[in-house]
Amino acid sequence: MPDAPELKLAELVERETLEELRHLFERVTGVPMVFTDAEHWPIVSVQNPLLFCGTLVRSEDGSTVCLRRRKWDTPEPDVEERLREANRSREWVTHRCNGDFRDTAVPVVVEGQTIGFVVFARTRLETPDTDVFRRMAEGAGMSPDIGERVARCALVMPEDRVGAVAGLLRVIASLVASAAYESLRLQQVLKLEKLRDELTHMIVHDLR
């Protein structure tokens, strides 16, 4: 039996719709978020890359950084994949990064396939010490200014609000998955209708 075709979020839900959801979520909650594909590449605009973990929101140009890397802006695929898999649950992917950041991605699942993620900005429970982050950046081969910018970008919120944001994103991921599922079903119906029309044409042609 052939493998099921790979499903892609960007092919099932219009990017404009995802972009509007991203924009509205940030306006209502004050928390930036990003939709990515199943490999964690963003499929909507990333307004401030330093708000997001480079493991959960990847970038070609190193604009999103991961504090678990030896050099924050240089990908380490094996390390990052282990991080993602070790912290994956049925509801979300989460890990506590260096600097005590909490990074969370909620999967969008259709027909058993994870077709994308909803990722919200890295958070901390307490205001970071910019001097500490400047030293961390230097130790990771980065400019200390990058460390300070990462610290200043940090979203500080209590643990119960982090959980509430994650819960809201689960609802959004579920709604997006439902829309993607309906889109998939529509595509399948259209394919069947096309096949029916082609078969009908062949039969009529053979009967002549």
Side-chain angles (χ1 to χ4, degrees), residues 150-165:
V150 168
R152 293 191 183 281
C153 284
L155 287 180
V156 180
M157 62 178 72
E159 192 160 9
D160 59 343
R161 187 171 179 225
V162 174
V165 171

Side-chain angles (χ1 to χ4, degrees), residues 26-154:
E26 182 170 353
R27 284 192 63 185
V28 171
T29 67
V31 178
M33 66 92 138
V34 170
F35 288 99
T36 75
D37 65 14
E39 301 301 319
H40 292 277
W41 292 102
I43 54 179
V44 295
S45 58
V46 182
Q47 299 294 314
N48 187 345
L50 289 181
L51 281 170
F52 298 94
C53 171
T55 294
L56 300 182
V57 181
R58 300 162 78 175
S59 61
E60 293 280 3
D61 59 2
S63 56
T64 59
V65 298
C66 177
L67 277 59
R68 292 287 188 100
R69 298 169 179 163
R70 286 187 292 272
K71 191 169 185 295
W72 289 356
D73 62 352
T74 303
E76 298 179 40
D78 292 343
V79 172
E80 292 159 29
E81 186 58 29
R82 285 198 298 272
L83 278 175
R84 287 190 287 263
E85 290 302 322
N87 296 283
R88 190 184 301 272
S89 73
R90 292 178 57 188
E91 295 185 329
W92 55 48
V93 179
T94 184
H95 67 268
R96 183 171 295 182
C97 197
N98 292 343
D100 207 28
F101 281 120
R102 296 165 184 234
D103 302 308
T104 303
V106 180
V108 179
V109 181
V110 175
E111 297 217 315
Q113 288 189 44
T114 296
I115 65 171
F117 291 92
V118 192
V119 185
F120 70 90
R122 52 164 59 109
T123 60
R124 276 178 55 100
L125 301 183
E126 298 178 354
T127 302
D129 184 326
T130 54
D131 290 336
V132 170
F133 276 80
R134 289 178 68 87
R135 291 194 294 271
M136 286 174 58
E138 285 188 292
M142 306 291 292
S143 163
D145 290 344
I146 293 294
E148 183 169 341
R149 287 172 58 198
V150 168
R152 293 191 183 281
C153 284

